[in-house]
Amino acid sequence: MTQGDMAKPLLRTSSEGVPSFTSTSKMAIGILGSGDFARSLATRLICSGFKVVVGSRNPKRNAGLFPQAAEVTTQLNAVNQTELIFIAVFKEHYFTLLELKSILAGKVLVDVSNSTDLKHQTESNAEYLASLFPDSIVVKGFNVISAWALQSGPRDGNKQVFICSDNRDASAKVCQIARTMGFIPVDMGSLSCARDIESFPLRLFPSWKKPFLVSFGLFIFFYFYNFIISVLHPYLTKNQNAFYKMPIELMNVTLPCVAYVLLSLVYLPGILAAFLQLKNNTKYKRFPDWLDQWLKHRKQLGLLSFYAAVLHAVYSLCLPMRRSARYELLNDAYKQVQAGKENAWVEEEVWRMELYVSCGIMALGMLSLLAISSLPSVGSALSWREFSFIQSRLGYVALMTATLHTLLYGWKRAFDKNRYKFYLPPTFTLTLVIPCIVLLSKLCLLLPCVNRRLMQIQRGWEKKAGSQVLEGLGCFTDSLPCESISNV
Amino acid sequence: MTQGDMAKPLLRTSSEGVPSFTSTSKMAIGILGSGDFARSLATRLICSGFKVVVGSRNPKRNAGLFPQAAEVTTQLNAVNQTELIFIAVFKEHYFTLLELKSILAGKVLVDVSNSTDLKHQTESNAEYLASLFPDSIVVKGFNVISAWALQSGPRDGNKQVFICSDNRDASAKVCQIARTMGFIPVDMGSLSCARDIESFPLRLFPSWKKPFLVSFGLFIFFYFYNFIISVLHPYLTKNQNAFYKMPIELMNVTLPCVAYVLLSLVYLPGILAAFLQLKNNTKYKRFPDWLDQWLKHRKQLGLLSFYAAVLHAVYSLCLPMRRSARYELLNDAYKQVQAGKENAWVEEEVWRMELYVSCGIMALGMLSLLAISSLPSVGSALSWREFSFIQSRLGYVALMTATLHTLLYGWKRAFDKNRYKFYLPPTFTLTLVIPCIVLLSKLCLLLPCVNRRLMQIQRGWEKKAGSQVLEGLGCFTDSLPCESISNV
Amino acid sequence: MTQGDMAKPLLRTSSEGVPSFTSTSKMAIGILGSGDFARSLATRLICSGFKVVVGSRNPKRNAGLFPQAAEVTTQLNAVNQTELIFIAVFKEHYFTLLELKSILAGKVLVDVSNSTDLKHQTESNAEYLASLFPDSIVVKGFNVISAWALQSGPRDGNKQVFICSDNRDASAKVCQIARTMGFIPVDMGSLSCARDIESFPLRLFPSWKKPFLVSFGLFIFFYFYNFIISVLHPYLTKNQNAFYKMPIELMNVTLPCVAYVLLSLVYLPGILAAFLQLKNNTKYKRFPDWLDQWLKHRKQLGLLSFYAAVLHAVYSLCLPMRRSARYELLNDAYKQVQAGKENAWVEEEVWRMELYVSCGIMALGMLSLLAISSLPSVGSALSWREFSFIQSRLGYVALMTATLHTLLYGWKRAFDKNRYKFYLPPTFTLTLVIPCIVLLSKLCLLLPCVNRRLMQIQRGWEKKAGSQVLEGLGCFTDSLPCESISNV
């Protein structure tokens, strides 16, 4: 039963004012195979109001496995009764259906299989099926849906179903069936897309690989850098044993460096893109691939930055509860008493810490808003302006606050040469490099003259007369992906 | 105006290349009743391009309540003008419509009511309506939508509308109306589903009850166990008053026990299922009900475990800021000075704490990723492999890290008999039991020989020849629900 | 290719049992313009199975910019070949299309433009287009979709597309095209809605402005109030320099006040509404506008309250790690030693802090559940009862726990006149006012007699006989938006 079926009666309603509920009987759909998927599919199709005919090699044995309403018969019978058949059989057994070739001719075969491996895949299962049954119309689809999702019904988040076929009508028909079942069909075009669709369930965070490697690299680098400065140096020079710092204190100084640099890497590509556009004096020249890639991975970089920042927060909050902190405090108290020093207060130290901790909390608070707005359900509810406001404006404010956090933490230490262990500059000075570059170049881009020029370019105006109409839309619609460019 | 209506003009477009925008006038929809729901419904229908005729007992009085575009007339007139009528009247007043029985015959009645109570419900409102108007076609639907959601429009997250009817065309027609209004209709099948649909708005976390009770039980048990050990024992034996520990310190030692055991209970059923499959040598034998239930509640168990873990983190972070901690520290300082002990440092204690705190943070960090991936919008964007990677792989790593956290916390205390108050073992030793069982049996399942066998079974291969084609799909598609089994 | 197209073959299927895949060839869609949006649109339409004809002023120059499958020709050719044309041109260039006026007559023009500014907007772009081409059928739509979203495909969260037109068929046709492309079309009614739709992408958190201002006002007020009491007073009276408290300690006492008052402001309007309903003895009398507004902003107030509460938690957790805390501790230790005081323990202080910290954590734990259930994807998965349980029941428990937190924090200080600096009452006493009013009046509403009356009113019963049928539905469906009213 599909929406299409309903068109008639509804049209009648409006034309003759009398609906007819007789024109369409239940549409019959065939299923070949009797695995979990076949069964769940049958259950769901019947619940969605379709007539289901299951073709099985051994109807008697398998009838019990299917819902009552489903007719379980021989493969031959099943195919004869239906025009649209789901092939719920492993690829390696497609050949066993060749005996049905003649009667399958002209009918729609829905290939629901997944590719078992991505490596040695020559052609998609669907294309293989199509090659076996050239006279049938093969549609790829439903492979991203699990037998479980089929049974549990669409209640748990309406999942998308990717569909493709060389026959528009067939794919549209399958689209409707999917919609009637409560899924959201997405027509991916011709059957050549089948390979992508089949490999979809095998994806493993492709868009996260590079950002993760970058973050991991940064982590390793800063961890060892801090290790040399705050563990190795005291050990070699003063023979102090500070190895106990490795699990927590080193983590706690390393994570903010990672978070801070990652955050700046979110906004650097936008800056570069803007300068490129200014240089090329057009927005229609494609960016170099590496920049394109980078722009595409900003969201992931931002989320990893947030994750590192949160861990940093938790680690620092744990500092005072550690035994080591307690013992140091006790020893200090002892020293103070011995020294007869009544007041340990150091005003400057107090202010420094109050200020940088406060900045840190604020930066984290803003980052958390960025993270929340990155949730699919939240982000999709935002208008482009809201989205770019949070991702670009708020993001830059967060970056500035983080910079302030770092500078206040550093205080005057950058200029105290006792801080240069092994002639290595304190870690925080290293982390400041990229963020400051980003913030300064952003400042340049905000200069009225530069900004106006940039807006024009991004709006599509160019130096050619008469060509303006051709530039078409894109000023707003475009700004969503590269908010840090066009919302400068 | 429904998609169906459009079929005609579009077909023309393609066939004769000339679209006709005349064929269909606005479709008229009737509404009986004039409550909030009736009004919101009218507003929304009109906004979605339908003609609305409201049937009211007192048209004059109520005309003002409805939007201008709606025609408010007598019930008789309204029914005469329309083929599809929404019954926006309380169940207890359905009988008052009996006078319209004859003209309602053959028309579609949409029952939008909710069941007022689940207990003494004999039949669904919709079935009751159908029994009153046997000649009409009753469709259940829209009851999950609030009058408010109707007015505020579909902008705020497109809600699902569950629809059922014994007449496929009628339900499909209502499906289209729902879709045109911007909702996502879900055809639930025959009118016998009406009861479920009506009770849907009365659900109160059915899937959370059992997991919550389990967590609560664990909490009570561990709280009292800790109470006996760390409050009652010192009070009775050394007459020390440690009751101040009840609000925070006891919570802080109890919550991790709950979180830790709950996490292991997430993965135990998967293990049991795998062993059962190995024993039965097939995956087609249904699991016993209790195991089935357990498998279905893993998500809830996991989230409760995460919740307890987060609370534990917050509680522990609060420890150093308490007065009690301050006073103890001051007294220790005093003692140290009196004892003239220059250095309070205990290397072993330091290492122990640095390590277990660090492990704890990591475990929490991983659990948070699991929790995020459990958000509907996030989870539905993941491929099965990504989902199972996080839920299974990452989950087990988190369980291992939590185990390490516990072991490091315990250090050598399990072997120090002074720790056995009233001969009761320290709490952490109790919590270790189930997790260790899970991890060890997981290890067995990972042994190549066992693993291979298991994969075969789960892929659907069985010892019977020839039956292989019949097994059908399911290897991947199936693995989503029981990732901890098939992604071993 | 639209679902409409499919109606025919499917109908055939059921009537004659033979599907025909010949009736419909690819539907041709025209695009005028060659900007980013035009290109992305073409790409997506082709991928969704449409035939695309692009009309360009300079076909040769622009052909390269479009996918192979798209036919790039003169504007005249493009319009002649198609019945439905996307106008991907800036508003200020619409006039350049006037030369095509005659051939555009009777065709559907889809206006995808956005309004560049909200202020000096006289009419919507779409209406302007309609005024230029009175004989064409103008449909507004797709403006909320970015060129980027078009290219990246529907995978990343199916975005909604708002559509409006004075011609139902045309808008329905565009709805289908949107659906085929994988978007969720929402028919907003007549073209007069175009202005709203065009300004949609320019929205900047309209619903957040007022709640934010309220929160900000509260923050400023409490910050200065606390500044006077805990910084200015000691400075002026005892000449103590406590300015170092400004970044953290003052924030930490200010934020909870804001969070606490905001939370009470979430439930106050519900109380007022309930009393109004009792006074009017009907629920059909509209609330005054200010109350209506207030009721609509409860969600935002709640989330801001949660945000402030979380920041408060983080700030308080930071307290012990500050230098200032360390120094004070050291000095206390010194004093204690000098005084020879062996035990610093103050049982009352200990209990006070253990208790109020514990309450605070619990309140935060509950608020976090409220916040999570406010996520679109989570909230939309809840039944009205679950939603109202969390938002109303749990919310009130959270409010009570927060009150307990405040009272325990205050302890006996409200009655200690040394706490009244400059005769100003301690801050916590001020914050208690509104919440206590809310809780007490809630208590009144819970009195059986009052409660019963209220339920009747909200169920729609009134003192007029015979009018009962007319009241219609709404008891449950209504309660979702104003849960704090009807779930009293």
Side-chain angles (χ1 to χ4, degrees), chain C residues 391-428:
Chain C
Q391 294 295 333
S392 173
R393 295 259 189 298
L394 194 62
Y396 269 103
V397 179
L399 185 59
M400 280 185 273
T401 324
T403 309
L404 206 59
H405 176 60
T406 317
L407 290 172
L408 287 164
Y409 168 82
W411 209 248
K412 294 180 299 194
R413 297 176 176 182
F415 315 113
D416 167 4
K417 76 175 195 322
N418 304 332
R419 294 275 168 186
Y420 288 73
K421 322 281 186 186
F422 296 133
Y423 307 102
L424 293 173
T427 324
F428 75 90

Side-chain angles (χ1 to χ4, degrees), chain A residues 205-405:
Chain A
F205 301 107
S207 59
W208 285 86
K209 283 207 173 63
K210 284 173 191 168
F212 178 78
L213 289 177
V214 172
S215 325
F216 190 70
L218 285 169
F219 180 83
I220 295 297
F221 168 74
F222 282 115
Y223 190 88
F224 278 105
Y225 194 90
N226 290 318
F227 176 77
I228 291 166
I229 285 181
S230 46
V231 177
L232 209 60
H233 182 269
Y235 185 70
L236 297 178
T237 55
K238 314 195 202 74
N239 192 23
Q240 280 176 1
N241 172 353
F243 289 98
Y244 76 90
K245 290 185 176 176
M246 287 171 63
I248 293 189
E249 280 184 43
L250 278 193
M251 289 294 277
N252 188 41
V253 287
T254 305
L255 284 168
C257 305
V258 178
Y260 184 41
V261 174
L262 279 178
L263 186 60
S264 63
L265 291 182
V266 172
Y267 294 99
L268 186 52
I271 302 278
L272 295 175
F275 278 117
L276 260 177
Q277 291 185 323
L278 283 170
K279 182 167 149 298
N280 303 338
N281 198 6
T282 169
K283 72 168 177 178
Y284 294 120
K285 193 142 171 290
R286 275 192 89 277
F287 296 130
D289 248 17
W290 60 268
L291 183 55
D292 222 44
Q293 283 292 314
W294 198 348
L295 285 163
K296 284 203 182 69
H297 288 90
R298 284 177 296 176
K299 181 185 172 184
Q300 287 77 9
L301 287 167
L303 288 173
L304 286 168
S305 163
F306 175 67
Y307 192 63
V310 170
L311 284 178
H312 165 52
V314 177
Y315 271 106
S316 3
L317 293 174
C318 287
L319 294 177
M321 106 188 153
R322 297 166 310 146
R323 288 259 167 239
S324 48
R326 181 189 189 79
Y327 295 143
E328 277 165 359
L329 195 59
L330 287 170
N331 295 344
D332 287 3
Y334 182 84
K335 287 198 200 72
Q336 187 176 355
V337 172
Q338 300 310 325
K341 180 146 140 290
E342 199 184 300
N343 192 348
W345 198 270
V346 184
E347 189 72 7
E348 186 182 357
E349 271 299 290
V350 168
W351 273 99
R352 169 178 161 267
M353 189 141 190
E354 304 275 337
L355 288 173
Y356 84 70
V357 168
S358 186
C359 284
I361 298 173
M362 287 180 203
L364 190 64
M366 292 180 223
L367 281 181
S368 63
L369 295 183
L370 265 82
I372 292 166
S373 74
S374 305
L375 286 171
S377 61
V378 177
S380 67
L382 296 175
S383 74
W384 82 263
R385 192 170 163 217
E386 291 165 343
F387 185 83
S388 63
F389 173 83
I390 290 185
Q391 295 296 331
S392 172
R393 294 260 189 297
L394 194 62
Y396 269 104
V397 179
L399 185 59
M400 280 184 274
T401 323
T403 309
L404 205 59
H405 176 59

Side-chain angles (χ1 to χ4, degrees), chain B residues 182-386:
Chain B
F183 297 112
I184 296 178
V186 180
D187 191 326
M188 303 290 284
S190 74
L191 200 62
S192 54
C193 308
R195 207 183 173 304
D196 300 346
I197 298 179
E198 287 174 5
S199 62
F200 181 76
L202 281 175
R203 281 187 321 139
L204 188 56
F205 302 107
S207 60
W208 285 85
K209 283 207 174 60
K210 285 174 190 169
F212 178 78
L213 289 176
V214 172
S215 325
F216 190 70
L218 285 169
F219 180 82
I220 296 297
F221 168 74
F222 282 115
Y223 190 87
F224 278 106
Y225 195 89
N226 289 319
F227 176 78
I228 292 166
I229 286 182
S230 46
V231 176
L232 210 59
H233 183 269
Y235 185 69
L236 297 177
T237 54
K238 314 194 203 77
N239 192 24
Q240 281 176 0
N241 173 352
F243 289 97
Y244 76 90
K245 290 185 175 176
M246 288 170 65
I248 294 190
E249 281 185 43
L250 279 194
M251 291 293 278
N252 187 42
V253 286
T254 305
L255 285 167
C257 305
V258 178
Y260 184 41
V261 175
L262 279 179
L263 186 59
S264 64
L265 291 181
V266 172
Y267 294 99
L268 185 52
I271 302 278
L272 295 175
F275 278 117
L276 261 178
Q277 291 184 325
L278 283 169
K279 182 168 147 299
N280 303 338
N281 198 7
T282 169
K283 72 169 176 178
Y284 294 119
K285 194 141 170 290
R286 275 190 89 276
F287 296 130
D289 249 16
W290 59 269
L291 183 54
D292 222 45
Q293 282 294 313
W294 197 348
L295 285 163
K296 283 202 181 70
H297 288 91
R298 284 176 296 175
K299 182 185 172 185
Q300 287 75 10
L301 287 168
L303 288 174
L304 286 168
S305 162
F306 175 66
Y307 192 63
V310 171
L311 284 178
H312 164 52
V314 177
Y315 271 107
S316 3
L317 294 174
C318 287
L319 294 178
M321 108 187 151
R322 297 166 310 144
R323 289 259 167 239
S324 47
R326 180 189 190 80
Y327 295 143
E328 278 166 357
L329 195 59
L330 287 170
N331 295 345
D332 287 3
Y334 182 84
K335 287 198 201 72
Q336 186 174 356
V337 172
Q338 299 310 325
K341 180 147 139 292
E342 199 183 302
N343 191 349
W345 197 270
V346 184
E347 190 74 5
E348 185 182 357
E349 272 299 291
V350 169
W351 273 101
R352 171 178 160 266
M353 188 140 189
E354 304 274 338
L355 287 174
Y356 85 70
V357 168
S358 187
C359 284
I361 298 174
M362 286 178 203
L364 191 63
M366 291 179 223
L367 281 181
S368 62
L369 295 183
L370 265 83
I372 291 168
S373 75
S374 304
L375 285 171
S377 61
V378 178
S380 67
L382 296 175
S383 75
W384 81 264
R385 193 171 163 215
E386 290 164 343

Side-chain angles (χ1 to χ4, degrees), chain C residues 227-246:
Chain C
F227 176 79
I228 292 165
I229 286 181
S230 47
V231 177
L232 211 59
H233 183 269
Y235 185 69
L236 297 178
T237 55
K238 316 194 202 75
N239 192 23
Q240 281 175 1
N241 173 352
F243 289 97
Y244 76 90
K245 290 183 174 177
M246 288 171 65

Side-chain angles (χ1 to χ4, degrees), chain A residues 402-438:
Chain A
T403 309
L404 205 59
H405 176 59
T406 316
L407 290 171
L408 286 165
Y409 169 82
W411 206 250
K412 292 179 299 195
R413 297 176 175 180
F415 315 110
D416 167 5
K417 75 176 196 320
N418 303 332
R419 295 274 168 185
Y420 289 73
K421 325 278 187 187
F422 296 134
Y423 306 102
L424 292 172
T427 323
F428 76 90
T429 52
L430 292 185
T431 62
L432 278 166
V433 179
I434 306 180
C436 291
I437 294 174
V438 171

